[in-house]
Every structure is written in C-alpha cells, then in structure tokens.
Amino acid sequence: MSYNVTIAVAKGRTLEAVRQRWLECGWDWPESSNSRQLWFPPDRARPGLIVARGADIPMLVQRGIAEFGIVGLDMLREHPTDGVLEVLDLDVAHCRLALAGAKMEWPDGPARIATKYQRVARDFFRRRSHPVEIVPLSGSLELAPAIGLAPYIVDVVQTGATLKAHGLYEISTVFHSSARLIANAAVWRTGNGMLSVYEQWKAVTGR
Amino acid sequence: MLTFLEEQRRQYQIFLNVTERLLEAGYGPLATEPYRQEAFRTDHTPAILEVVASFSPDTVEWPLKVFSTGPLFLPGRSRWTEAIDAEWVGPIGASEQRQVLDVVNASIDAFSSEGLPDADLTMVFGEVQWLRKLAESWGLSDDEIQDFVAQLKAGRLAAVDGYRERAGEAGWALLRPQPTTEFFSQLRRFVPEAKPPVLDQNWRSLWDLSLTGQRAYHTGLVFALHHDRTRQALISGGRFDLNVGGRTFSGMGFTVNLDAVREALREAEHVL
C-alpha cells in the first residue's frame, strides 16, 4: 500500500538536517538524477516530498497541498498562517535570531534595522517600546552596517562566524529556533489515518 | 470562462441559500465597514459589535440576531475571501447555544442542497472553559493556564508539550480529536459537569480541547466544520465575550467561508 501523505520541507539547512530524521523514520530518501526535482509523489516506501522556500511552507500546508510541513520556527513566526498547527519540535536545524551591530551596544535612540524578518523585528522592538525604522532586505544583511544602509541587523545566526567575519557583534538574542513539524488543521483534527506520520516523527525525536 | 462563471454562480447561490436561512431564523442584515482602524477588515465580529455599541442599550431588543456579509482580508496570503458572519448578541445559555447550532446546521443544509455530501464534512468542537478547568485539575497556576490557552489559540501545540507530564496520559488525550462518547467519558473525570450539546446532524462530529477558536474573544464552546478532501474550514465560530466601546458583549457567532465552500463543491463534482 502506498503512503497517502505529502510533507513539504524548507530547502537549505532544514532540508539537510531533516534527511537523517527522515531515514530514521524508516522511509527512503527520494533520489533523483535531476537535481532540480522538487516534487516527489508518495509511493510505497515513503510519503511524498515537496522541497520549497521556507516562507512558502506554511501556505502549502494551509492550502492542503501538503498535509504536513517542516520549517524553521523563525519562518513560522515571520509568516503566521491561520489553519496551520505547529505540532512538534524536531530538535534539528538549531539557530537563533539575533540583533547585531558594529558595536556591542543596544541602540541609543531611534534605530534603523535591516532585516528579512520584518514582523519579528517590529514585535521585538515594540515589546521594548524602542522606536525603529525597518529596512527590508532579502539577503547579504551583514553588509548593511558596512555600507551605511543600517547600523543594525536582525538575522539568523548559527555559529556567529559570519557576523565575526564582517566585524559585527551579537547584541541580543531575539529567540532560539529549530525545525518544526507543522500540520494542516483539518488533517490534524479530522485524522483520517494520517497522524501516524506525526507518531513516527515523534518517536525518532524522542519526545 | 463558462466554468469560471458557473462556479461564481454556485457560490452566489450558496450565499443566497445561507442568507435565506438566516432571515428565516430571525437574523437581520447589518452592513459593516470593510476598512476600519486604518486596516482592511479581517473579521466581521468586532465591526458588527461596533455598530451595535453605537446604539444605547435600552433601544435594543436582546438577544440581537444579526449578520454581515462581504469580503475579509487574509493578511498572510494578501488576498480576500468572501464570508457571511452571523452573530447572536445577548445572554447565552445552553438553550440559546442550541438555537445557534441549529442555525449552523441549517447553513450546512444549504451546502448539501447545492450538492456537497454530508459524508465529506467533519465538525470539530472545543470548549475553552473546560480546557481551563482541565488545566486547573493538573495543578497549573493562573499564569501557566494563561500561557497554555494562549499557545493553543496561536496553534502552537508543540509549545505546550512542557505541560504533558503534569497532565498525564488521560488528560493529554483530551487535546487530540476523539468521538463524542469517548471524549466525554474521559473529560468527566476532570470536569464532572461537562456534557455535549444536543445536536441533530448528519455530519461526523469530533471533540478536541486543543481547538480554542482563533480569536482572543472566543471564551466557551468553539467549532470548525472541515471538508475532508479540500482540508479547509467551511464554517468556524463559537461563544464570545468582547469589549467594544467600554461595553462587554456576550454571545455566539459563526463565519461561513464562501470561497472554501466553492472549492469543496468543485472537489465534490470532480469526484462524481
């Protein structure tokens, strides 16, 4: 009997980290001669797999294109989506969202912040009643202080090596992130035999 | 183009069928602003209650039964969805709750009359007060209960995993969907007074205390009608308490998501 479940996984470090867990679930990892293949239908040996951008994973799950998704907590907080439930911390792809700048100092007065996490950054500073101007950037954030675009950035940090290489200091941690299993609310709450996928993930994460 | 227009026609027919049933049940139409507080409307309920609050209480005959129609903005998806929102505003007990659920049922009949099989529908119920009592019975403090409910409202089931040990397996099982009989036989160990509303329906129903309603103002019985194949909520709603203009309004309401109903009808035809 073939699996009838599809899991959408965020490409990049989440996909790399999830591969081992996927194998521990007893499923084959889909192999393809075409490295650009991003959609692997379910078969007898494993659930289906969709590889997509992290920001798109909640929407794919909300629309029921994939019953489950795996994406970092950073993306879930930046892109909250109705009809999607965060059901399990997979304890892989650890990182943190951090405020960084050229000096090890909290911003003095209103500050300009370059980030691709606009919602998270706004919430972080609003909670501290600190006025900020958000500069939306989609990449190469570490350059922003050096080129005079913004003296501070809010970005994902894994080891801190990239910040150090650009002469930046980690001023404050916004929150810690790891990969999360998310589920379509209708699938989760009406079951239909698909929750065994969750049980398998739960077993391999030891939770 | 013909298919597109036919789908639009059927969605409009559903709109007519549902509003007709609301009118028959004594609900009156009430227009609300689609743009309020410098943002597009994402929810009809506060907009309806703002209109209600603009009248002095002694000029209103309670309960007030009203409905509003029109688009809702979905910020996460940068798009609009068509919706009908019906509200019973006023004191609400078990009998009034039953009357609202009868109107929900009549709305579902309106879908069936357009060809949506009841067999594809599952209504999931939750109850925020019972959830709080359950958490109390585990020994959670007031702050912990507040956090527990807030995390569930945000859909963060993984974030409440830390309470699992104190809940025990029997208590934790109430946060997963179960058929009515099994659910209440478990729940009464913790909340002895709990009993299900009397329903006369053709669709499947399940109970799951992790369902708390998406809105902060949902304070009691909540529900969501899911279509099994499109995995969308066709109807959602529940008991509310909401402060508007310095006055607290209680009642129970529900939203019919017409775009999701249209998708479910399309899927039903595809299967046929």
Side-chain angles (χ1 to χ4, degrees):
Chain A
M1 202 177 80
S2 180
Y3 279 86
N4 61 349
V5 173
T6 293
I7 304 173
V9 182
K11 61 171 70 171
R13 62 192 158 79
T14 302
L15 185 67
E16 289 163 23
V18 158
R19 188 176 185 274
Q20 183 56 36
R21 287 270 197 257
W22 181 283
L23 294 170
E24 287 169 19
C25 283
W27 303 327
D28 288 353
W29 183 255
E31 300 291 350
S32 167
S33 53
N34 176 4
S35 63
R36 291 174 182 236
Q37 188 174 343
L38 301 174
W39 157 229
F40 304 86
D43 63 23
R44 286 170 177 274
R46 51 159 178 76
L49 173 68
I50 295 173
V51 179
R53 284 169 58 96
D56 296 334
I57 300 294
M59 181 274 294
L60 290 170
V61 174
Q62 193 275 340
R63 298 299 302 260
I65 306 299
E67 285 79 13
F68 292 91
I70 297 176
V71 62
L73 183 64
D74 54 321
M75 282 293 159
L76 289 176
R77 292 292 176 271
E78 182 62 20
H79 302 281
T81 309
D82 284 350
V84 169
L85 302 174
E86 180 190 322
V87 295
L88 189 64
D89 181 351
L90 296 179
D91 199 22
V92 293
H94 289 277
C95 63
R96 57 193 182 275
L97 233 64
L99 169 70
K103 293 180 187 169
M104 188 62 188
E105 286 174 4
W106 181 263
D108 190 24
R112 222 164 46 247
I113 313 289
T115 186
K116 56 182 173 184
Y117 295 91
Q118 296 179 54
R119 174 190 290 268
V120 167
R122 275 188 212 288
D123 286 351
F124 178 71
F125 284 101
R126 192 180 296 128
R127 282 200 302 275
R128 285 154 184 79
S129 302
H130 195 106
V132 288
E133 176 195 348
I134 301 292
V135 180
L137 270 188
S138 58
S140 303
L141 286 158
E142 302 81 6
L143 288 178
I147 61 177
L149 182 63
Y152 300 95
I153 64 170
V154 168
D155 198 13
V156 165
V157 178
Q158 280 180 281
T159 62
T162 309
L163 290 181
K164 201 172 175 183
H166 288 83
L168 298 176
Y169 296 91
E170 189 173 334
I171 300 166
S172 180
T173 300
V174 179
F175 62 77
H176 290 271
S177 176
S178 57
R180 305 297 163 107
L181 182 69
I182 61 173
N184 173 282
V187 168
W188 181 261
R189 295 212 160 98
T190 60
N192 297 331
M194 292 182 183
L195 297 187
S196 59
V197 166
Y198 162 77
E199 298 296 347
Q200 276 171 280
W201 280 108
K202 196 161 162 288
V204 300
T205 53
R207 288 174 183 267
Chain B
M1 179 72 180
L2 281 177
T3 306
F4 175 77
L5 290 177
E6 175 58 16
E7 285 181 356
Q8 300 293 311
R9 189 199 68 76
R10 293 188 72 187
Q11 178 170 323
Y12 193 69
Q13 189 62 54
I14 292 279
F15 173 87
L16 292 174
N17 290 352
V18 172
T19 51
E20 189 179 8
R21 281 159 171 81
L22 289 171
L23 291 167
E24 283 168 3
Y27 284 70
L30 187 151
T32 57
E33 286 281 342
Y35 188 81
R36 50 191 298 276
Q37 293 173 356
E38 298 183 3
F40 294 118
R41 174 178 61 193
T42 57
D43 180 10
H44 280 281
T45 307
I48 288 176
L49 293 178
E50 276 178 15
V51 176
V52 175
S54 69
F55 292 91
S56 61
D58 52 2
T59 64
V60 180
E61 195 173 323
W62 307 101
L64 187 66
K65 297 190 284 182
V66 290
F67 68 92
S68 175
T69 65
L72 294 175
F73 185 59
L74 305 174
R77 291 156 67 181
S78 298
R79 62 178 292 262
W80 298 85
T81 186
E82 285 294 327
I84 302 171
D85 189 291
E87 304 292 347
W88 169 298
V89 189
I92 189 152
S95 157
E96 292 79 10
Q97 201 162 271
R98 167 78 200 264
Q99 288 181 55
V100 176
L101 290 173
D102 284 345
V103 178
V104 172
N105 214 6
S107 300
I108 298 170
D109 284 343
F111 308 160
S112 310
S113 65
E114 275 297 302
L116 191 63
D118 286 335
D120 291 348
L121 303 176
T122 304
M123 183 73 92
V124 183
F125 291 97
E127 226 288 1
V128 181
Q129 291 306 320
W130 295 344
L131 178 71
R132 288 182 179 279
K133 287 183 179 174
L134 182 70
E136 272 173 32
S137 76
W138 299 341
L140 268 56
S141 69
D142 288 350
D143 285 350
E144 286 173 325
I145 292 172
Q146 198 172 341
D147 169 66
F148 181 64
V149 174
Q151 297 288 7
L152 290 178
K153 274 192 180 289
R156 298 172 187 164
L157 277 61
V160 299
D161 230 26
Y163 298 113
R164 188 178 188 140
E165 205 168 303
R166 290 156 76 182
E169 281 308 306
W172 204 249
L174 293 163
L175 303 180
R176 296 287 292 273
Q178 293 185 47
T180 304
T181 309
E182 286 91 322
F183 175 84
F184 280 91
S185 69
Q186 289 279 358
L187 179 63
R188 287 199 189 103
R189 294 170 56 187
F190 305 95
V191 188
E193 71 275 20
K195 58 180 178 183
V198 180
L199 295 168
D200 179 22
Q201 89 281 5
N202 296 319
W203 26 268
R204 186 169 75 118
S205 63
L206 296 170
W207 285 80
D208 176 352
L209 286 186
S210 77
L211 179 71
T212 54
Q214 291 167 343
R215 310 287 182 185
Y217 56 67
H218 284 130
T219 53
L221 182 76
V222 290
F223 48 86
L225 179 78
H226 294 290
H227 183 251
D228 291 353
R229 284 201 292 272
T230 59
R231 286 103 185 237
Q232 305 293 307
L234 310 187
I235 291 180
S236 57
R239 171 86 168 73
F240 66 81
D241 290 285
L242 184 58
N243 189 295
V244 178
R247 287 162 59 188
T248 298
F249 293 94
S250 299
M252 191 164 166
F254 63 94
T255 301
V256 179
N257 180 352
L258 289 167
D259 289 350
V261 176
R262 187 188 64 209
E263 281 187 36
L265 282 168
R266 187 191 296 155
E267 178 71 20
E269 279 193 347
H270 179 69
V271 170
L272 287 173

